[in-house]
Amino acid sequence: MRCRRCGHENAAGANFCSSCGAPLSTDVRSVDDEPETTTSLALIEDREVLAAELGDLLDGLPDGLGMLVVRRGPNAGSTFVLEAATTTLGRHPESDIFLDDVTVSRRHATIDRRPDGYVIADADSLNGTYVDHERIERTKLRDMREIQVGRFVLTFVLGGLESER
């Protein structure tokens, strides 16, 4: 059974992931099988929780500007505004977003800011980069996507979307 949080393949019948400890669902339905409205409502609720936690910081985020919020890890609650054309994530001291844990590669991932949005790419890291529990090589980021880099879980938020809901 594959863990939805980290992607680790666990023994059949396991209740918890042997890699990250997340509870394993016995529901074999894919996340993609859930109705669109359920997913959308969950994202709105998640965004409202973030808005309550971050207050004015999220409200002041300019339209189209991305921000990462550390949800789990040693520096949970930290925020990083993605203003540069390329932002590096990793354990290397020169990384734009320094994630100090042995589960993070020195040069783990990059996030590129493009006219059509943000793209995250794994930088050949040892443990991989995950977006919404799926290991990725490169993918476009959308509002409220969950990114996992080692033991760190970050949420990507995009400025200006609150008024659209």
Side-chain angles (χ1 to χ4, degrees):
M1 175 177 287
R2 184 170 299 277
C3 176
R4 289 181 151 197
R5 177 177 290 159
C6 72
H8 179 74
E9 189 64 42
N10 293 279
N15 292 321
F16 297 92
C17 177
S18 63
S19 177
C20 71
L24 299 172
S25 173
T26 55
D27 183 2
V28 295
R29 181 177 49 167
S30 158
V31 173
D32 296 331
D33 293 340
E34 293 181 22
E36 179 92 16
T37 54
T38 303
T39 303
S40 296
L41 289 174
L43 290 177
I44 291 170
E45 289 170 3
D46 288 347
R47 180 119 182 162
E48 288 173 354
V49 168
L50 264 180
E53 290 175 13
L54 300 176
D56 294 337
L57 182 62
L58 189 57
D59 291 340
L61 193 62
D63 290 357
L65 189 61
M67 181 171 66
L68 291 177
V69 180
V70 180
R71 307 291 287 169
R72 192 175 67 224
N75 52 347
S78 298
T79 59
F80 302 94
V81 178
L82 305 173
E83 295 178 291
T86 299
T87 302
T88 58
L89 292 84
R91 195 168 35 93
H92 193 280
E94 294 176 6
S95 295
D96 297 314
I97 299 176
F98 177 64
L99 302 172
D100 190 18
D101 190 84
V102 296
T103 60
V104 177
S105 295
R106 289 178 186 267
R107 292 176 179 23
H108 200 101
T110 59
I111 298 177
D112 293 326
R113 183 179 183 195
R114 300 180 175 178
D116 63 335
Y118 288 84
V119 174
I120 186 169
D122 185 73
D124 295 324
S125 66
L126 180 62
N127 292 323
T129 302
Y130 295 82
V131 174
D132 289 339
H133 313 291
E134 291 185 28
R135 191 169 183 158
I136 58 99
E137 292 299 317
R138 173 180 296 276
T139 192
K140 188 168 183 175
L141 287 173
R142 295 187 325 261
D143 188 54
M144 296 304 297
R145 296 301 98 178
E146 182 180 276
I147 300 166
Q148 183 168 351
V149 175
R151 291 185 182 155
F152 291 84
V153 175
L154 307 103
T155 299
F156 175 79
V157 292
L158 198 57
L161 296 183
E162 186 67 21
S163 61
E164 295 176 13
R165 293 199 167 107

